[in-house]
Amino acid sequence: MKIVNTLSARIRTAQPEHHAIFTGMAWVSLFVIIGKLAGAAKEMAVAYRFGVGVEVDAYLFVLNFISWPIGVWFSVLTVVLVPLAAKMRQDAAGELPRFRAELFGVAIVLGLVLAILARLGLPMVLRSQWAGLPPATAALATHAAPTLAFLLPLGVLISLLSAWMLAAGRHANTLLEGVPAVVIGIAVLISAGSGIEPLVWATVGGFVAHVISLAIPLARRKEIEFPRFTWQSTQWTLFWRGFGIMLAGQALMSLIVIVDQFFAVHVGTGAFATLSYANRILALLLTLGGTVVSRATLPIFSKAHRQGNTQVRRVVTQWAGVMFLVGAVSSAVSWWLAPWVVKLLFERGAFTAQDSAAVSEVLRYALVQLPFYFAGLVLVSGLVSRGMHKLVALSAIANLVVKIFGNYLLVPAMGIKGIALATAFMYIVSFITLYKLTNITENHKGII
């Protein structure tokens, strides 16, 4: 009884930031689990239909190219928009509708420009010797590229609507991220067609459904406006200042996926598909932990910093320690379960026991990164909430350099296992760097 009373007293006297972060993590965890279950079902359907065949290599190669600018846009938009929205709600609430409308217009233009560039340039890249694709894979990828280019404007809009929902302190966008996976999984299973076409068009349909699912709740709350194609809001100066800095760092950091696929395709046919299946399982853990951490902490840290809370840095380091331990336990348990998980998810149809063994081995090397990745995300949220965008961007650039060096060093000797281990090495270096930056004691002039 005494223990319970003591625990209750500590909970009541804990800093409000801890309560808010814990509540946010609980909701985001639930939504991520639901979304990732949908994603796992989709991967099972794709593995059943295609195994590690040439269709999957071609599809994933193009999809990673398409996803690169979308991922950069969403990552940068989130870390800049969430703190800026907190500032606007406190200092300039009347500016929010106009700024949302004008940012909507920017997103539409950006998506259309990216789609045109992809339709014109991507087929030439895929057919070139620089891509390094086998002839059969290159032919399928070139065929799929024009249709998958539609994902660019859709993905840009999805990112914007998701970021606005997160900036408002709601986490339903995390749940809705499972919508494309549901559409793709069902379409792949029921389609009577053959080849890569069902997978390609199902992906486009999934993105369309995702846009609609995000727009409806925002419209009900009157938090979405018709787009304006002007830059008259007074908040643009602050937005572009933070956006430009983070864009440079995140664009280079996100090239890691592209770098890995070029190393993987030179290992041999099926290597990239094997790495991708391992990464799909790893993504269940990274997204569960990473999404929960960043989406639960960034709004709270930003709000606390704007309200003048001097204990934010202490809260950041405490949660970084907690998430490091969570990551270490998750890594150990996942290493033990890896063969059974891969077999359960993928080993059916064209996906053989030999494929399961290869994917499991790569996955185990990749799991080393978990504690450093989880803790590092908390540190990034803390730095961004204090306006230290330049330091975060420089850290991201350093990550790319470390990753390329690791690939060159490890891939010749270890194959695709070296790619996974190089990623873990990158996150170890990143964690050490971010921890040192977090504990900078001198005053730092923030961006926003």
Side-chain angles (χ1 to χ4, degrees):
M1 188 67 179
K2 183 179 179 180
I3 295 176
V4 175
N5 291 335
T6 302
L7 181 60
S8 299
R10 289 186 178 182
I11 292 174
R12 287 194 299 270
T13 58
Q15 292 177 315
E17 288 79 14
H18 289 301
H19 288 288
I21 290 171
F22 182 79
T23 301
M25 283 187 172
W27 280 111
V28 176
S29 297
L30 175 62
F31 292 158
V32 168
I33 290 172
I34 295 173
K36 286 306 171 181
L37 286 175
K42 182 263 291 185
E43 294 300 333
M44 293 168 65
V46 173
Y48 174 80
R49 184 73 178 269
F50 299 103
V52 294
V54 65
E55 295 89 354
V56 178
D57 273 353
Y59 169 77
L60 292 175
F61 197 90
V62 178
L63 187 62
N64 281 336
F65 265 107
I66 296 294
S67 300
W68 175 61
I70 297 173
V72 171
W73 165 253
F74 180 61
S75 298
V76 177
L77 190 64
T78 300
V79 298
V80 174
L81 188 60
V82 172
L84 179 59
K87 180 179 183 298
M88 290 178 66
R89 285 189 173 89
Q90 181 175 332
D91 302 334
E95 281 285 318
L96 272 172
R98 174 178 287 275
F99 183 69
R100 279 199 296 255
E102 292 181 354
L103 189 55
F104 197 175
V106 169
I108 291 174
V109 173
L110 174 64
L112 292 175
V113 170
L114 290 174
I116 293 171
L117 292 176
R119 288 182 69 89
L120 294 177
L122 195 52
M124 292 186 293
V125 172
L126 296 171
R127 287 192 296 263
S128 68
Q129 293 183 350
W130 176 70
L133 292 173
T137 306
L140 281 174
T142 303
H143 178 69
T147 303
L148 289 176
F150 287 118
L151 300 182
L152 284 161
L154 293 170
V156 168
L157 291 180
I158 288 169
S159 300
L160 176 62
L161 299 179
S162 297
W164 274 123
M165 195 172 288
L166 180 61
R170 296 192 303 277
H171 301 291
N173 64 297
T174 304
L175 175 64
L176 297 175
E177 287 175 357
V179 170
V182 172
V183 175
I184 294 170
I186 293 174
V188 166
L189 288 176
I190 68 175
S191 174
S194 59
I196 200 172
E197 288 290 337
L199 185 57
V200 170
W201 282 107
T203 305
V204 175
F207 272 56
V208 171
H210 196 182
V211 171
I212 296 172
S213 69
L214 286 166
I216 290 174
L218 286 171
R220 286 177 177 174
R221 291 179 174 266
K222 298 182 179 179
E223 293 178 350
I224 186 172
E225 285 77 27
F226 287 104
R228 291 188 179 188
F229 299 94
T230 59
W231 289 357
Q232 295 180 358
S233 173
T234 58
Q235 303 301 313
W236 280 111
T237 300
L238 295 176
F239 177 83
W240 288 124
R241 194 182 303 166
F243 190 90
I245 294 169
M246 291 303 299
L247 178 63
Q250 188 62 35
L252 291 175
M253 178 67 178
S254 63
L255 282 173
I256 288 172
V257 176
I258 307 299
V259 169
D260 281 352
Q261 73 180 31
F262 278 116
F263 275 92
V265 296
H266 286 92
V267 172
T269 301
F272 183 53
T274 300
L275 179 65
S276 296
Y277 280 121
N279 284 339
R280 290 296 186 274
I281 299 175
L282 182 67
L284 296 175
L285 298 170
L286 293 181
T287 306
L288 178 59
T291 302
V292 167
V293 170
S294 58
R295 296 186 184 181
T297 58
L298 182 56
I300 304 304
F301 292 159
S302 299
K303 182 179 179 181
H305 179 70
R306 286 298 160 196
Q307 292 176 346
N309 191 323
T310 59
Q311 299 298 317
V312 175
R313 191 181 306 173
R314 181 181 177 184
V315 175
V316 168
T317 55
Q318 288 173 339
W319 276 97
V322 169
M323 293 312 302
F324 187 93
L325 291 176
V326 170
V329 172
S330 300
S331 180
V333 173
S334 300
W335 189 93
W336 180 63
L337 292 175
W340 289 274
V341 172
V342 173
K343 183 176 181 179
L344 175 65
L345 291 178
F346 300 136
E347 195 175 308
R348 57 186 58 83
F351 198 99
T352 65
Q354 184 178 1
D355 297 329
S356 290
V359 172
S360 300
E361 191 174 13
V362 174
L363 177 60
R364 282 178 160 174
Y365 279 92
L367 289 169
V368 177
Q369 69 187 263
L370 287 185
F372 305 97
Y373 177 80
F374 289 171
L377 284 177
V378 178
L379 300 177
V380 168
S381 293
L383 291 170
V384 169
S385 71
R386 294 162 57 191
M388 301 175 74
H389 296 96
K390 290 182 180 179
L391 295 181
V392 174
L394 289 174
S395 175
I397 295 171
N399 285 348
L400 177 63
V401 175
V402 172
K403 175 59 173 164
I404 294 174
F405 173 76
N407 278 3
Y408 271 113
L409 185 66
L410 297 173
V411 172
M414 302 177 64
I416 54 176
K417 297 187 294 291
I419 295 176
L421 194 58
T423 303
F425 175 66
M426 177 193 72
Y427 280 118
I428 293 172
V429 175
S430 176
F431 169 75
I432 295 171
T433 303
L434 291 169
Y435 186 81
K436 290 182 177 179
L437 292 176
T438 299
N439 288 282
I440 291 177
T441 56
E442 62 268 25
N443 292 331
H444 180 83
K445 186 177 181 180
I447 301 295
I448 57 176

